[in-house]
Amino acid sequence: MPPKPLRLINRFLPHDRQPLHQNYAQKTLDKSLRGFRPDLTVVSQGINFDGAHLAEVCRQRKLPYVVVAQKAVEFLFPADEERPPVRAVYEAAAKCFFVSRHNLNLTEQQIGIALANAEIVFNPFAAPFENSLPWKENGKTSLACVGRLFVIDKGQDILLRVLALEKWKKRDLQVVFYGEGINRQALLEMARLLKVGNVKFAGYVRDVESIWQENHALVLPSRSEGLPLALVEAMLYARPSIVTDVGGMAEIVEDNMTGFIAAAPTAEAFDEALERAWAQRQNWRQIGARAAASIKKIVPRDPCRQFADKLLALAKELN
């Protein structure tokens, strides 16, 4: 972020003459790289092109770099004037890392080229690779919705619309929202307006295992994703999941076998998937066991070590 004096100046300048945040970040990075030539630079992005301006500094200085994209959004294409520099950054990267095949394919479509230098990697998760967490035997059926309270991505409002249906209000079910975010108050008020009383907002919980001690399954009504760690962790804890077909979720969940997949991030589609899951709730323990066995064949035991080894090998190759 530009320093405070620069932000104050912005208030008095026309928009097209304001010092841009990206330009300021580029200048700051460029200055720090003067006289310093790293063997390899890692540009980690929240979305698939929000760090392209930083990678561009490396490209112009002919410094080897990789880009990491944690998410790609179906409806968020770079503007036409942004696409050529974003494309140049991806083409010149030593490697382009994505957390799901969906995100890789979508990025290629958004920038209009195939990325021969792309690879899928996995983020570290907060669950033991091997564990024997007991199944929750007693109490009402409880679902955990784990993620930032940010409806643009996580779609908690979709779930509230489903739970507002009379059939779900009458069932012996509770949903616990775990996480904090800018839409917490909006979701609380939405639940109150829709008279959804079978929900609880538990806030951020550091101990992931405690979530799965108290809940039977994961619900993720997301509108966009990379590959959510909440899903990987739930599967490792042998819990089934009800998710939307966005990001890489359908790449690790097999519908009706290790979880249940809604065809789209809409209330109608999620209700259909949740209804299928509810009908199978007596089998959730077995479905969760299959989920645990499945995810261990997909994600590495130590994603950090695997990624570090890739970077070290690449840096050695380039230098």
Side-chain angles (χ1 to χ4, degrees):
M1 178 180 292
K4 187 174 181 179
L6 205 55
R7 298 201 303 273
L8 291 173
I9 290 172
N10 281 351
R11 298 182 183 180
F12 301 100
L13 292 175
H15 180 76
D16 60 355
R17 293 183 57 197
Q18 292 179 8
L20 299 178
H21 291 269
Q22 288 192 358
N23 288 348
Y24 180 80
Q26 284 181 313
K27 290 176 182 177
T28 302
L29 177 60
D30 187 66
K31 183 178 179 180
S32 69
L33 290 174
R34 292 174 191 169
F36 169 61
R37 187 177 181 87
D39 293 327
L40 184 66
T41 299
V42 179
V43 180
S44 184
Q45 308 176 102
I47 198 170
N48 54 347
F49 51 86
D50 63 3
H53 60 293
L54 299 176
E56 177 64 11
V57 175
C58 299
R59 189 180 77 87
Q60 290 184 5
R61 283 190 166 273
K62 294 182 170 53
L63 296 174
Y65 66 92
V66 301
V67 293
V68 183
Q70 294 289 345
K71 184 180 65 176
V73 180
E74 300 278 355
F75 56 82
L76 194 57
F77 276 58
D80 283 352
E81 64 270 17
E82 295 172 349
R83 290 176 69 255
V86 170
R87 184 164 51 212
V89 157
Y90 271 102
E91 285 184 302
K95 276 286 184 181
C96 305
F97 293 109
F98 297 86
V99 297
S100 68
R101 177 63 55 181
H102 164 277
N103 282 193
L104 164 57
N105 293 340
L106 178 57
T107 300
E108 291 178 326
Q109 293 164 19
Q110 289 177 335
I111 62 178
I113 57 168
L115 295 172
N117 57 345
E119 191 173 333
I120 308 302
V121 293
F122 295 94
N123 281 313
F125 38 81
F129 200 77
E130 303 290 346
N131 70 78
S132 55
L133 185 68
W135 182 256
K136 178 179 166 61
E137 297 285 359
N138 301 318
K140 65 171 59 179
T141 302
S142 186
L143 307 178
C145 185
V146 184
R148 291 174 300 133
L149 302 184
F150 184 60
V151 299
I152 289 176
D153 281 350
K154 299 300 183 180
Q156 292 96 341
D157 58 311
I158 294 172
L159 181 54
L160 286 179
R161 291 187 185 95
V162 173
L163 297 175
L165 298 173
E166 286 302 316
K167 63 179 180 179
W168 292 110
K169 289 181 179 180
K170 294 176 181 177
R171 288 169 172 168
D172 191 23
L173 169 73
Q174 75 167 358
V175 175
V176 185
F177 291 93
Y178 293 90
E180 296 289 351
I182 62 172
N183 295 133
R184 178 184 175 86
Q185 191 61 34
L187 290 167
L188 283 166
E189 293 177 6
M190 182 177 179
R192 187 161 57 245
L193 175 69
L194 297 177
K195 295 181 174 58
V196 178
N198 56 350
V199 297
K200 182 170 72 171
F201 289 81
Y204 173 73
V205 174
R206 184 177 296 275
D207 181 7
V208 174
E209 183 170 303
S210 69
I211 295 174
W212 299 115
Q213 287 172 339
E214 299 298 326
N215 294 279
H216 297 96
L218 172 73
V219 278
L220 280 183
S222 305
R223 289 185 170 92
S224 60
E225 287 287 0
L227 185 69
L229 291 175
L231 175 56
V232 174
E233 291 160 1
M235 295 178 76
L236 285 171
Y237 277 116
R239 299 299 187 260
S241 54
I242 303 98
V243 302
T244 46
D245 186 7
V246 300
M249 293 202 281
E251 295 170 28
I252 64 173
V253 175
E254 184 179 356
D255 198 22
N256 297 316
M257 292 296 293
T258 61
F260 303 87
I261 302 174
T266 65
E268 293 76 15
F270 205 80
D271 175 54
E272 185 275 335
L274 192 57
E275 193 68 67
R276 282 190 285 117
W278 183 259
Q280 290 288 319
R281 64 190 180 283
Q282 300 303 321
N283 300 321
W284 282 5
R285 187 172 186 173
Q286 292 74 28
I287 294 171
R290 288 199 296 266
S294 173
I295 196 63
K296 290 174 188 176
K297 297 176 183 177
I298 298 172
V299 301
R301 183 178 293 268
D302 188 349
C304 288
R305 169 60 63 184
Q306 185 186 75
F307 187 51
D309 288 345
K310 289 179 184 292
L311 294 178
L312 289 171
L314 188 56
K316 185 177 180 181
E317 176 187 332
L318 294 170
N319 293 277

